[in-house]
Every structure is written in structure tokens, then in C-alpha cells.
């Protein structure tokens, strides 16, 4: 079968690889329906290795080249052991978090920060291929009525939902979201669902700013033309937002987030990059501001699928393109060259 594999920075190849064999006792094989191109995938291609290890991963033993793809839907074709509620033929989304199951964090239900953890598509072969082998514990049944395309968007939405849960946003809160890329938009949608009174967004790309406004942002600011900190301060009764979510991973925005949030407020860092941020202690301790990291999801994908099935989450605005897997390199080039147009591109391994 053909698979889109990362060989190194700037080196993606559509390779011929063996189709997965019979899964082990803790594994399943999934026939991929759609797989989303994540900002992490693009970052690994342009600037990696970042989350991909150059040598064997301590949990999986896998070393590059690695098939990318960790946001996907599909159908179970083989089970290594029985799974309650899931049979061969069941439509699933896969929580791609790889976990050891024995460390302190796994034992306390925090598998997403497992001491040895990784991700399908980064620490093991992923879903930019017709078939993928995954851990049994990652299988999540797709509710009836949720299409394969929409189900493939559950993972990025879960990142946004998890960030909002980390922020403990309450009805009536004022929230500032820095960035309206895929994660920023997912955060915006989850913030709206949480009942925030004021939802402010900072985004310099006009197309993304317009999309954020259409999705319910109270006001969207262009940070190249406005002092976002001042504007949000004035609109919140000279108090500042209760929560700021940084959704880009840009180090220079971390300090802006900290200095913008109100006294006693919460900053959630949901974006990832390889850079280092400067945090002014005098802006944190005297004002008792809280800075939180937010990584991926922790049982958030099933929550998102239920919300989609109940028509409380509509992922459709995230989807801006569908490509055959054979055009995967074109999809990466388009995402890199036109970030205003695209939020989420799905790859379909069945189309040629």
C-alpha cells in the first residue's frame, strides 16, 4: 500500500509499504476513511524533527521514516482482542495518544501526559495510508448520523475542548483567544459552548479573522493594526479578560497573554513550538495570575463526538479541503502557502 512518510525535514515521500498484518493482543487494524493534516504534521515537515524522535521511540521502538497522520476516522478490520461495543466493521475515530499504562500518570487517568507517551503518526506509523495499526484503548465508536468526514475532525475539536476545560471557563466569562487557526477556531467554538459572555480573538490574517467573526466571536482584532491588550481591557470594564488562550505556539504571544489577562485570571497555552518564551515574574506573582499548559485531550474525543451527534458542535467550518492521498504533498504545499484559505485539509486514501 502507499503511505505518506516523513523521512526528515522537508522530506515527505509517498512510499510503498507493507499492509498491516494481524494485530497483536492490544492492537486493532483500522481501514482509514479520512485523515486530517495537522499543524503538527506541517511543522514537522517544515522545521522538524520536533515531536518525532530521530532514534527509536522509548515506548514503541519505532524510528523514522514514519507515516504521518493522527487525526482520522475509519472502520475496524481486525481486532487483536475483544473490545466492548466495537466489532469488525465498526466505524471509529482513534484517540492517537500512546501510553504505557503503568506510570503514575496513566494510573491516575492522565494518559495524555504519560511519562513514555507519544502519538500515532509521530511515534508509530499513522493514518496517511489506507490501513493503520492502533492500540485498542484508542478506539472510539462514531455515533450514527455522524459522517466519516465530520468524525475525522473530532481530534482537533477535542484539543480546543480540552483547553477550555483546563481554563475552567464559566458562563459569563470574558475570553481572549490568540490566533484563529485550526486550534484557535476549535477553542472559539468550545468557549462559545461554555457560555462565555465576551469572546475576543486576535488574528492578523483577514480570511481567518472573518471566519472567527462568522463563528460567533464578539470582536476580532488585527494585532498588526490594534493594541489588542488595550482594546480588550477597555471592552471588559477596564478589568481584562478572565481567560486568555494562546493557540499559536508563538513565544512572543505568551508574554502578551500573561500581561493581558485580569488579576487572578488564567492563561492557557494550547499552541506548541520549539521556541522559548519569556515570562515576567512581576506580571504573574503580584497579580496572582495562573499559567496552564494544555496538551491534546484526555477523554475529550468521545465528548466531542457526542456533542456533534447532539448538534451542539458543528465541525463543518473547520473543513476547507479534501485531497486524495496521492496529492498529499500538494496539500502540505497549499497549507504552507495559503494559511488564510485553509484550516483543515483531509486526505482520502481511497481516491487516486
Amino acid at each position: 500500500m502507499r503511505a505518506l512518510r516523513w523521512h526528515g525535514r522537508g522530506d515527505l515521500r509517498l512510499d510503498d509499504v507493507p499492509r498491516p498484518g494481524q494485530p497483536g493482543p492490544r492492537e486493532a487494524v483500522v481501514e482509514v476513511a479520512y485523515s486530517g493534516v495537522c499543524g503538527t504534521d506541517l511543522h514537522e515537515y517544515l522545521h522538524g524533527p520536533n515531536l518525532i524522535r530521530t532514534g527509536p521511540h522509548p515506548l514503541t521502538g519505532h524510528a523514522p521514516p514514519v507515516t504521518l497522520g493522527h487525526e482520522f476516522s475509519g472502520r475496524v478490520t481486525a481486532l487483536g482482542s475483544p473490545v466492548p461495543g466495537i466489532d469488525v466493521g465498526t466505524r471509529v475515530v482513534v484517540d492517537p495518544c500512546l501510553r504505557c499504562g503503568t506510570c503514575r500518570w496513566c494510573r491516575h487517568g492522565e494518559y495524555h501526559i504519560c511519562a513514555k507517551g507519544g502519538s500515532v503518526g509521530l511515534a508509530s506509523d499513522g493514518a496517511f495510508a489506507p490501513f493503520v495499526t492502533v492500540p485498542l484503548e484508542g478506539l472510539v465508536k462514531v455515533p450514527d448520523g455522524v459522517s466519516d468526514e465530520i468524525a475525522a475532525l473530532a481530534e482537533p475539536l477535542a484539543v480546543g475542548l480540552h483547553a477550555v476545560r483546563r481554563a475552567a471557563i464559566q458562563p459569563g466569562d470574558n475570553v481572549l483567544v490568540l490566533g484563529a487557526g485550526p486550534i484557535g477556531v476549535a477553542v472559539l467554538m468550545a468557549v462559545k459552548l461554555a457560555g462565555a459572555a465576551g469572546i475576543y480573538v486576535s488574528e492578523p490574517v483577514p480570511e481567518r479573522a472573518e471566519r472567527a467573526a462568522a463563528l460567533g466571536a464578539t470582536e476580532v482584532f488585527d494585532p498588526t493594526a490594534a493594541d489588542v491588550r488595550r482594546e480588550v481591557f477597555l471592552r471588559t470594564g477596564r478589568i481584562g479578560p478572565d481567560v486568555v488562550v494562546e493557540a499559536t505556539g508563538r513565544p512572543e504571544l505568551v508574554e502578551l497573554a500573561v500581561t493581558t489577562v485580569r488579576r487572578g485570571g488564567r492563561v492557557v497555552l494550547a499552541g506548541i513550538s520549539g521556541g522559548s518564551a519569556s515570562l515576567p515574574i512581576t506580571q504573574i506573582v503580584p497579580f496572582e495570575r495562573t499559567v496552564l499548559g494544555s496538551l491534546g485531550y484526555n477523554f475529550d474525543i468521545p465528548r466531542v463526538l457526542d456533542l456533534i451527534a447532539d448538534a451542539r458542535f458543528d465541525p463543518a467550518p473547520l473543513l476547507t479541503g479534501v485531497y486524495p492521498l496521492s496529492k498529499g504533498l500538494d496539500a502540505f504545499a497549499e497549507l504552507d502557502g495559503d494559511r488564510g484559505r485553509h484550516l483543515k485539509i483531509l486526505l482520502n486514501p481511497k481516491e487516486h
Side-chain angles (χ1 to χ4, degrees):
M1 67 180 187
R2 301 282 271 173
L4 189 61
R5 298 203 296 172
W6 184 93
H7 287 258
R9 180 183 303 177
D11 188 2
L12 284 181
R13 306 179 199 173
L14 199 60
D15 295 330
D16 286 311
V17 300
R19 176 173 165 170
Q22 183 64 24
R26 296 181 57 191
E27 296 176 332
V29 175
V30 173
E31 183 179 13
V32 178
Y34 295 95
S35 185
V37 181
C38 178
T40 299
D41 298 321
L42 184 62
H43 197 54
E44 292 290 343
Y45 171 58
L46 296 174
H47 310 295
N50 297 298
L51 298 179
I52 294 175
R53 293 176 181 255
T54 54
H57 191 276
L59 186 60
T60 66
H62 192 99
V66 59
T67 303
L68 297 178
H70 59 272
E71 309 175 356
F72 60 101
S73 62
R75 180 178 61 87
V76 174
T77 60
L79 289 167
S81 301
V83 179
I86 293 179
D87 301 302
V88 170
T90 299
R91 293 191 309 126
V92 294
V93 165
V94 173
D95 181 332
C97 290
L98 300 172
R99 62 209 81 166
C100 71
T102 59
C103 71
R104 183 263 180 216
W105 293 274
C106 285
R107 288 186 286 105
H108 284 75
E110 298 175 303
Y111 66 86
H112 64 309
I113 50 175
C114 168
K116 294 182 180 179
S119 173
V120 172
L122 297 169
S124 68
D125 283 329
F128 289 171
F131 295 89
V132 59
T133 299
V134 300
L136 291 176
E137 60 263 28
L139 299 176
V140 182
K141 186 176 180 179
V142 176
D144 293 339
V146 177
S147 71
D148 289 338
E149 280 188 338
I150 292 299
L153 301 173
E155 192 269 2
L157 280 175
V159 174
L161 180 63
H162 185 69
V164 168
R165 292 205 301 122
R166 289 282 286 161
I169 292 171
Q170 303 296 314
D173 277 354
N174 289 305
V175 180
L176 170 64
V177 181
L178 300 178
I183 299 307
V185 166
V187 168
L188 165 60
M189 294 169 69
V191 167
K192 186 176 179 182
L193 191 66
I199 309 173
Y200 304 97
V201 176
S202 174
E203 174 54 60
V205 179
E207 296 90 343
R208 289 186 168 182
E210 291 171 6
R211 191 176 286 118
L215 287 171
T218 306
E219 197 163 355
V220 183
F221 304 101
D222 178 354
T224 67
D227 183 340
V228 175
R229 180 177 181 273
R230 179 178 184 276
E231 296 300 329
V232 177
F233 180 73
L234 293 175
R235 284 158 177 77
T236 54
R238 296 181 175 271
I239 293 173
D242 301 285
V243 172
V244 178
V245 181
E246 203 297 300
T248 71
R250 292 175 56 186
E252 67 271 22
L253 294 185
V254 175
E255 183 171 353
L256 172 65
V258 169
T259 58
T260 299
V261 77
R262 67 161 172 81
R263 294 168 182 257
R266 300 173 299 285
V267 172
V268 176
L269 306 180
I272 297 178
S273 75
S276 297
S278 174
L279 286 177
I281 294 175
T282 55
Q283 290 292 328
I284 299 174
V285 178
F287 302 102
E288 209 168 61
R289 291 161 166 152
T290 299
V291 180
L292 299 163
S294 181
L295 177 66
Y297 22 79
N298 181 18
F299 301 109
D300 293 283
I301 290 178
R303 293 184 178 99
V304 164
L305 287 169
D306 287 342
L307 289 167
I308 293 171
D310 290 342
R312 299 180 67 195
F313 247 161
D314 179 11
L318 280 174
L319 181 57
T320 52
V322 179
Y323 286 69
L325 180 64
S326 60
K327 300 294 184 182
L329 288 170
D330 295 337
F332 272 76
E334 194 159 324
L335 281 169
D336 181 39
D338 191 358
R339 300 192 185 191
R341 174 185 170 194
H342 283 296
L343 282 181
K344 186 61 59 179
I345 288 177
L346 298 181
L347 300 182
N348 181 351
K350 298 182 184 66
E351 294 183 359
H352 302 284

